[in-house]
Amino acid sequence: MARILIVGAGFYRHIHALQLEGAVAAIAAAGHVHELVEVPGALEIPAAIALAAESGRYEAYVAIGCVIRGETYHFEVVANESARALMALTL
């Protein structure tokens, strides 16, 4: 049984709740346990995972968040930088 950390960005509360429900169900169905850390937005997810990784308490991490395209360049920055930072993590 693995201990899994879910890091969720709760900026869009309704979408976040649905994502969290699915993640928790999948982890439970696989017979693992989870803990949850909530962060304000998608940009904070990689930093939270990096900090948690230093503890050595978790065998896996689940990043959940939603970035919605709007009328500005903000979507590209948040989506690209969040993904880049997650890919750069060496756990």
Side-chain angles (χ1 to χ4, degrees):
M1 172 171 49
R3 182 179 309 157
I4 299 170
L5 179 65
I6 301 171
V7 178
F11 190 82
Y12 296 103
R13 298 308 291 156
H14 177 69
I15 295 169
H16 173 67
L18 294 171
Q19 292 173 322
L20 184 57
E21 181 182 323
V24 168
I27 291 168
H32 303 300
V33 296
H34 76 279
E35 292 181 30
L36 172 65
V37 170
E38 294 199 22
V39 296
L43 280 175
E44 291 81 20
I45 293 172
I49 291 175
L51 287 172
E54 292 178 6
S55 74
R57 294 184 58 207
Y58 306 101
E59 285 77 41
Y61 303 89
V62 176
I64 59 173
C66 176
V67 183
I68 296 176
R69 185 181 304 274
E71 295 179 11
T72 68
Y73 187 67
H74 184 256
F75 168 85
E76 283 80 8
V77 172
V78 174
N80 290 340
E81 291 306 308
S82 297
R84 182 198 57 77
L86 283 170
M87 295 299 292
L89 289 174
T90 53
L91 306 175

